[in-house]
Amino acid sequence: MSDIIHLLPDAVANQIAAGEVIQRPASVVKELVENAVDAGAKEIHVLVTDAGKTSIQVIDDGKGMSETDARLSFERHATSKIREASDLFALRTMGFRGEALASIAAVAEVELKTRLIGEELGTRLVISGSRVESQEVVSCPQGSNFSVKNLFFNVPARRKFLKTNSTELSNILTEFERIALVHPDIAFYLYSNDAELFNLPVMPLRQRIMSVFGKKLNQQLLSVEVDTTLIKISGFVAKPETARKKGVHQYFFVNGRYMRHPYFHKAVMEAYERLIPVGEQISYFVYFEVNPANIDVNIHPTKTEIKFENEQAIWQILSAAVKETLGKFNAVPSIDFDSVDMPDIPVFDQGRSVTPPQLHYSADFNPFKSSSGGGQSYSRANTDWEKLYAGLAKPSRMNDTQEQTVFDNPEMSAESEEHADLQGGTLPSGNDPAATSGVQYLQFKGRFILTSVKSGLMIIDQHRAHVRVLFDRYIEQIRHRQGASQGVLFPEIIQFPASEAAVLESIQDDLSAIGFELTSLGGGSYAINGVPAGIEGLDPVKLVRSMVHTAMEKGNDVKEEVQTRLALTLARAAAIVYGQVLTTDEMSNLIGQLFVSPSPNYTPDGRLVLSTIKEEDIEKMFTR
């Protein structure tokens, strides 16, 4: 029997590794920019075309590579960052695995131009699908210039399942932001289809954060600073009043590397307990400096999962540092003893005699006695109130008409006050057949609508019912481009970071179909000139931001799915809230519109809208 186990060719092994290391164009940008940072670059330019699908170019002014290093850098597990296993516990560089360039070259066409410091000529290397096509001496600037074209050209399945340009560009911007936020001493520039998206010169950390996410964030950040023998923590956390459910910026960095850490996230949020509403989040930018020997970054090829040796101790330090910051900047609510306009209370003197106050009054004063003499008496003018309302018809009470409900009985209301939360009425006359049958609608606790049906008692959740009705209306407007827009007198200005602005561009057609009119002002700013009719009282800025964040979180580029989520977000925001008292006509119209819906029983996200208690079940309650 012949042997069946054999070594894979390097090209195949690199392509397998690329499936884990290079997941999308953003992965290429991340790896190349991190290499530029490790090379000591002071200025890094990133240029992408068609969200990286056509080309990605990263130019740096680092130390560059020699001819031999340039060729060897594309070999698997070739790296200058470590030499032995013990070096893994003293890492100060972004990369160390030696897989990135080999993985990129396995699934793309790569051209590298690089020149060492002090050398007159550099090297040009062209690789396609792990195969070296040419290598020659060229004249080029100091540093490295990587050009990656036609990503996944030899893996059609991976290229087919790439998302739309706006989504891929948003992912590129997210990776770019994570690196730029941790290296304020390096200048970063990013261009998409020759349009400049980021221009970040060298600046202090706080200014770098504002340059990425907007100057408005400056008023929201509080400084965090703590230095112990175990760890040094610095950065910024947001004020409690800036908390919101979506769209917050939450970043952890350790030794200049971005990381995800749910455990430390709980430490930050625990400091805000009872300061922010349940379910809402706050922004934070927290930087850890720790001995590399106490962490393990070799968990996943993306290097965003990091293990700490003393996680519990760091958790306590982080939580205490955030609490101290909130207390130091008076972000925690406290009792304010205001001394302004306070009465001047003298200090008690024991040697001083105390005399009771003297009371003076007139024993002859009688308020019911008419005054005489020189005094003036006050008399109320006689007013014939009936003449003021002459000719007006006396309004009829609903209780005097045929629309009287069982809960309008004055004897019953006098005996029990618990019916005060129940408003009642019947369907007015009209085309609805329920009107002629005397169907009654009752509102309970400002949340549920009760009505009798043939099988028993139907209970309808008024908020969910309205969500169902509005969703059907908005989704119809989106698909037929029939949304009615209502112009605003004073346009609202909304600011988005570059990563969110890219997502907004992808859904702007659907927003226009609903009724939003957005005009780009440049630099991620947009003017809201029109809003959908029927959302009076809602904040259009929060509404647009919420829909953008929803599209970012779902990350699905199927057009119909995006439209559904937009319609659902708007319906939830515009639906009547719990506790809102409805009139008889409002209940009638809501129920009538609900049963016109093709799916009246459930909301678009699968929540129950109505439920029926059968008549026999009600009778069983009173059989005892």
Side-chain angles (χ1 to χ4, degrees):
M1 184 176 180
S2 60
D3 297 332
I4 59 174
I5 297 178
H6 59 277
L7 291 174
L8 290 174
D10 289 342
V12 177
N14 289 338
Q15 205 170 91
I16 294 174
E20 190 174 29
V21 179
I22 307 302
Q23 302 173 357
R24 59 199 331 152
S27 305
V28 177
V29 173
K30 172 182 179 294
E31 299 294 346
L32 294 181
V33 174
E34 286 182 349
N35 284 343
V37 172
D38 290 339
K42 295 300 180 183
E43 191 171 292
I44 301 174
H45 295 259
V46 179
L47 302 89
V48 297
T49 304
D50 297 332
K53 296 178 183 178
T54 300
S55 72
I56 299 172
Q57 189 174 10
V58 178
I59 307 171
D60 68 74
D61 59 351
K63 56 187 177 182
M65 291 181 282
S66 65
E67 181 180 354
T68 302
D69 287 344
R71 180 70 175 267
L72 193 59
S73 65
F74 288 94
E75 296 296 329
R76 196 173 180 214
H77 302 309
T79 180
S80 62
K81 316 297 174 56
I82 61 174
R83 293 187 177 275
E84 53 189 22
S86 60
D87 293 339
L88 288 172
F89 303 102
L91 284 173
R92 292 289 182 182
T93 57
M94 302 291 287
F96 59 89
R97 299 172 65 98
E99 291 182 321
L101 293 182
S103 299
I104 294 172
V107 293
E109 300 172 355
V110 182
E111 179 187 22
L112 167 63
K113 293 180 182 179
T114 182
R115 178 170 70 86
L116 278 171
I117 299 176
E119 296 290 335
E120 295 184 357
L121 296 176
T123 302
R124 177 178 179 268
L125 181 64
V126 179
I127 301 179
S128 179
S130 295
R131 183 170 59 88
V132 178
E133 295 188 347
S134 66
Q135 183 172 359
E136 58 185 350
V137 177
V138 296
S139 176
C140 61
Q142 170 196 323
S144 300
N145 183 341
F146 285 89
S147 180
V148 180
K149 298 181 179 179
N150 299 326
L151 186 63
F152 299 127
F153 77 99
N154 55 352
V155 191
R158 291 292 295 273
R159 187 171 180 86
K160 177 181 178 181
F161 284 97
L162 289 178
K163 306 300 182 180
T164 60
N165 287 354
S166 59
T167 301
E168 296 299 342
L169 179 60
S170 177
N171 289 318
I172 290 174
L173 295 173
T174 298
E175 294 290 351
F176 185 84
E177 290 168 357
R178 292 171 179 174
I179 301 175
L181 287 173
V182 80
H183 294 287
D185 56 333
I186 302 177
F188 290 92
Y189 306 91
L190 188 142
Y191 304 86
S192 175
N193 296 335
D194 298 328
E196 184 181 79
L197 299 184
F198 277 114
N199 186 332
L200 305 174
V202 177
M203 59 184 68
L205 178 59
R206 192 181 187 102
Q207 278 68 31
R208 175 60 61 87
I209 294 175
M210 288 187 293
S211 298
V212 174
F213 297 113
K215 295 182 179 180
K216 185 178 180 180
L217 198 61
N218 185 41
Q219 306 298 326
Q220 304 175 3
L221 298 181
L222 306 175
S223 299
V224 177
E225 191 75 34
V226 62
D227 193 356
T228 67
T229 56
L230 182 63
I231 191 173
K232 179 181 179 182
I233 300 176
S234 60
F236 306 93
V237 295
K239 297 178 180 178
E241 58 265 25
T242 63
R244 57 178 185 249
K245 292 185 178 180
K246 296 181 180 179
V248 295
H249 309 295
Q250 299 176 334
Y251 292 89
F252 283 122
F253 302 96
V254 56
N255 294 349
R257 185 191 309 276
Y258 169 79
M259 71 170 179
R260 296 186 180 94
H261 211 293
Y263 185 60
F264 291 159
H265 169 76
K266 291 182 180 179
V268 176
M269 299 310 300
E270 191 267 347
Y272 285 84
E273 188 177 5
R274 298 183 182 179
L275 297 180
I276 62 176
V278 177
E280 294 193 356
Q281 302 286 323
I282 54 95
S283 298
Y284 56 77
F285 305 85
V286 181
Y287 298 79
F288 298 107
E289 290 185 24
V290 64
N291 187 346
N294 295 333
I295 61 174
D296 185 6
V297 299
N298 191 26
I299 304 297
H300 191 272
T302 58
K303 299 183 282 291
T304 58
E305 300 177 14
I306 299 177
K307 297 294 184 181
F308 287 75
E309 183 178 349
N310 302 297
E311 284 191 345
Q312 291 185 352
I314 296 175
W315 195 97
Q316 297 289 345
I317 295 173
L318 176 59
S319 180
V322 176
K323 289 180 180 179
E324 181 183 3
T325 296
L326 295 175
K328 183 188 303 182
F329 290 93
N330 200 25
V332 179
S334 59
I335 300 176
D336 185 13
F337 295 97
D338 190 2
S339 59
V340 179
D341 298 329
M342 286 182 58
D344 186 13
I345 303 177
V347 180
F348 177 68
D349 185 5
Q350 294 183 352
R352 182 180 178 183
S353 60
V354 179
T355 58
Q358 299 296 323
L359 181 63
H360 302 280
Y361 64 93
S362 175
D364 298 331
F365 176 75
N366 185 352
F368 302 100
K369 183 179 179 181
S370 300
S371 60
S372 59
Q376 296 181 358
S377 62
Y378 171 78
S379 61
R380 184 186 299 270
N382 293 327
T383 304
D384 191 356
W385 296 102
E386 294 184 356
K387 293 181 178 181
L388 297 177
Y389 296 95
L392 296 178
K394 183 179 179 181
S396 60
R397 296 180 56 191
M398 184 177 293
N399 295 347
D400 299 330
T401 67
Q402 60 180 357
E403 297 179 351
Q404 180 178 3
T405 67
V406 294
F407 292 103
D408 289 327
N409 191 328
E411 297 180 358
M412 182 178 294
S413 60
E415 295 175 357
S416 174
E417 294 182 357
E418 66 180 0
H419 295 143
D421 293 322
L422 197 57
Q423 288 78 32
T426 59
L427 191 68
S429 60
N431 296 327
D432 197 317
T436 59
S437 59
V439 178
Q440 297 173 343
Y441 291 95
L442 312 171
Q443 187 181 23
F444 179 68
K445 295 290 185 181
R447 177 169 182 173
F448 301 104
I449 299 175
L450 312 182
T451 183
S452 61
V453 292
K454 184 176 182 181
S455 58
L457 177 66
M458 180 178 290
I459 306 175
I460 303 169
D461 187 302
Q462 68 181 38
H463 173 74
R464 295 181 181 180
H466 203 200
V467 169
R468 176 78 256 179
V469 171
L470 292 178
F471 173 82
D472 293 339
R473 181 189 305 169
Y474 291 138
I475 199 67
E476 191 73 13
Q477 292 176 356
I478 292 176
R479 292 173 180 172
H480 294 87
R481 305 293 188 217
Q482 296 176 346
S485 180
Q486 180 177 337
V488 296
L489 184 59
F490 300 102
E492 297 275 0
I493 306 300
I494 184 170
Q495 176 76 32
F496 286 104
S499 55
E500 297 179 7
V503 176
L504 176 61
E505 293 292 337
S506 67
I507 64 174
Q508 193 159 358
D509 290 343
D510 294 328
L511 292 177
S512 299
I514 298 175
F516 283 100
E517 293 183 6
L518 301 179
T519 303
S520 176
L521 303 178
S525 297
Y526 293 82
I528 304 177
N529 298 314
V531 297
I535 65 166
E536 293 78 6
L538 298 179
D539 187 349
V541 173
K542 291 183 178 180
L543 203 52
V544 172
R545 198 182 296 277
S546 175
M547 288 189 282
V548 171
H549 294 155
T550 300
M552 290 182 66
E553 290 175 359
K554 301 302 181 181
N556 195 329
D557 290 306
V558 180
K559 196 70 173 177
E560 185 174 349
E561 290 293 327
V562 173
Q563 294 174 350
T564 299
R565 293 187 182 109
L566 291 179
L568 180 57
T569 302
L570 187 59
R572 285 173 175 169
I576 55 178
V577 298
Y578 293 125
Q580 180 174 339
V581 177
L582 303 180
T583 64
T584 302
D585 290 342
E586 290 172 339
M587 285 189 288
S588 302
N589 293 333
L590 177 59
I591 302 305
Q593 295 175 24
L594 175 64
F595 286 103
V596 173
S597 171
S599 302
N601 294 335
Y602 296 93
T603 61
D605 52 347
R607 296 186 177 186
L608 188 67
V609 174
L610 55 89
S611 180
T612 303
I613 303 177
K614 294 183 179 180
E615 185 177 355
E616 51 266 27
D617 293 335
I618 298 176
E619 292 177 352
K620 290 179 181 179
M621 299 178 186
F622 299 94
T623 54
R624 298 178 183 178

